[in-house]
């Protein structure tokens, strides 16, 4: 539980904002010095996502996606824009969203909105998104704020839409990282928060071929 490791909620959020303001607006900056894993990450995410986009009665649409904790648009550029007609991006760091406009190139014209906002304060437009992609950012939310945000994401989905979380998982419990002011939760804690938000888990997958020294990374699809 984050309530056991986050002593001051205001400080938890403001310290994280300050940390990201000093991070270079590059792929390597977005990935904490692990820029070389970006292609492995994107390729796995694409395979995971495409199983929901294939033909079938409950097929997820490809009209509009939302990239949460989007940074400079690494996922928007390489995963979402090739698969969706339009994408919206949300990130707490204004400099990253400014950089995104040049980083995304010509295809960036299909990004409709750049929302500069922390996810604890962000509400996706109801009934608007086929996919809401949330990667490497849930650690910056308290349990209550994450649960509430996921409830708002649920309301933001179009018919057959899905919410996807991809993030680090701790071996046990909740671990605080004082450097970037984030937490890392274990699988059981994350699953409990997903259930608390009224979402149903459709698929869960562990990322392969990442460096041994980093946390295990899991991807969840839910609606």
């Amino acid at each position: 539980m984050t309530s056991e490791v986050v002593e001051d909620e205001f400080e938890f959020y403001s310290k994280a904002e300050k940390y990201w303001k000093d991070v270079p607006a590059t792929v390597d900056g977005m990935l904490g010095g692990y820029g070389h894993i970006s292609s492995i990450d994107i390729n796995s995410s694409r395979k995971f996502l495409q199983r929901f986009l294939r033909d079938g009665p409950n097929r997820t649409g490809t009209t509009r996606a939302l990239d949460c904790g989007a940074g400079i648009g690494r996922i928007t550029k390489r995963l979402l824009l090739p698969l969706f007609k339009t994408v919206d991006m949300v990130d707490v760091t204004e400099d990253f969203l400014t950089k995104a406009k040049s980083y995304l190139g010509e295809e960036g014209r299909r990004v409709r909105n750049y929302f500069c906002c922390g996810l604890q304060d962000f509400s996706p437009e109801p009934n608007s998104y086929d996919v809401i992609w949330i990667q490497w950012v849930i650690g910056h939310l308290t349990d209550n704020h994450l649960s509430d945000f996921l409830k708002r994401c649920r309301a933001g989905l179009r018919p057959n839409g899905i919410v996807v979380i991809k993030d680090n998982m701790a071996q046990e419990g909740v671990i605080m990282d004082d450097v970037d002011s984030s937490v890392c939760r274990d699988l059981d804690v994350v699953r409990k928060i997903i259930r608390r938000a009224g979402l149903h888990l459709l698929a869960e997958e562990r990322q392969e071929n990442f460096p041994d020294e980093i946390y295990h990374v899991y991807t969840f699809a839910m609606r």
Side-chain angles (χ1 to χ4, degrees):
M1 300 287 289
T2 52
S3 56
E4 292 164 15
V5 293
V6 176
E7 290 171 18
D8 182 328
E9 197 176 272
F10 177 79
E11 187 188 6
F12 175 68
Y13 286 111
S14 56
K15 196 174 166 187
E17 271 192 60
K18 186 173 180 301
Y19 170 85
W20 286 105
K21 278 197 171 97
D22 293 331
V23 168
T26 62
V27 169
D28 211 41
M30 300 302 97
L31 293 176
Y34 283 88
H36 58 285
I37 69 170
S38 186
S39 288
I40 299 168
D41 168 57
I42 296 288
N43 290 338
S44 297
S45 294
R46 189 182 300 111
K47 278 184 194 155
F48 182 88
L49 188 51
Q50 279 176 329
R51 71 173 88 164
F52 297 98
L53 307 181
R54 291 194 194 110
D55 289 338
N58 298 315
R59 186 174 73 88
T60 298
T62 54
T63 302
R64 194 172 169 200
L66 174 65
D67 185 358
C68 299
I72 63 169
R74 180 185 73 90
I75 291 163
T76 290
K77 182 182 177 102
R78 297 193 53 199
L79 176 68
L80 301 177
L81 281 172
L83 294 172
F84 295 87
K85 289 192 182 77
T86 63
V87 178
D88 288 347
M89 294 170 60
V90 55
D91 197 275
V92 75
T93 307
E94 198 165 351
D95 285 352
F96 294 165
L97 295 176
T98 302
K99 172 69 176 181
K101 288 165 189 175
S102 58
Y103 171 73
L104 294 171
E106 278 294 291
E107 292 298 305
R109 288 179 304 177
R110 294 189 289 112
V111 174
R112 294 187 359 153
N113 295 294
Y114 296 86
F115 299 110
C116 188
C117 188
L119 297 183
Q120 70 275 19
D121 299 315
F122 183 73
S123 293
E125 190 184 326
N127 194 35
S128 293
Y129 297 103
D130 297 298
V131 170
I132 297 178
W133 193 273
I134 309 164
Q135 183 161 347
W136 280 320
V137 69
I138 66 167
H140 285 301
L141 297 175
T142 64
D143 290 351
N144 287 340
H145 281 156
L146 176 54
S147 175
D148 289 347
F149 176 61
L150 289 175
K151 285 175 190 169
R152 297 193 298 273
C153 286
R154 197 180 79 203
L157 293 179
R158 297 174 53 161
N160 297 321
I162 57 168
V163 177
V164 178
I165 288 175
K166 187 170 187 177
D167 222 302
N168 301 335
M169 298 294 139
Q171 293 283 18
E172 189 179 351
V174 180
I175 299 164
M176 183 77 188
D177 185 337
D178 283 320
V179 177
D180 67 355
S181 191
S182 70
V183 295
C184 187
R185 302 169 172 93
D186 70 27
L187 279 165
D188 283 344
V189 173
V190 173
R191 290 189 197 113
K192 273 179 196 153
I193 293 170
I194 288 167
R195 282 198 301 271
R196 202 169 107 196
L199 286 159
H200 171 65
L201 208 51
L202 303 171
E204 180 185 305
E205 181 176 282
R206 183 177 159 190
Q207 172 71 50
E208 295 178 349
N209 302 318
F210 268 8
D212 291 338
E213 71 270 16
I214 66 174
Y215 283 115
H216 293 167
V217 172
Y218 277 79
T219 311
F220 307 87
M222 63 209 94
R223 65 163 64 105

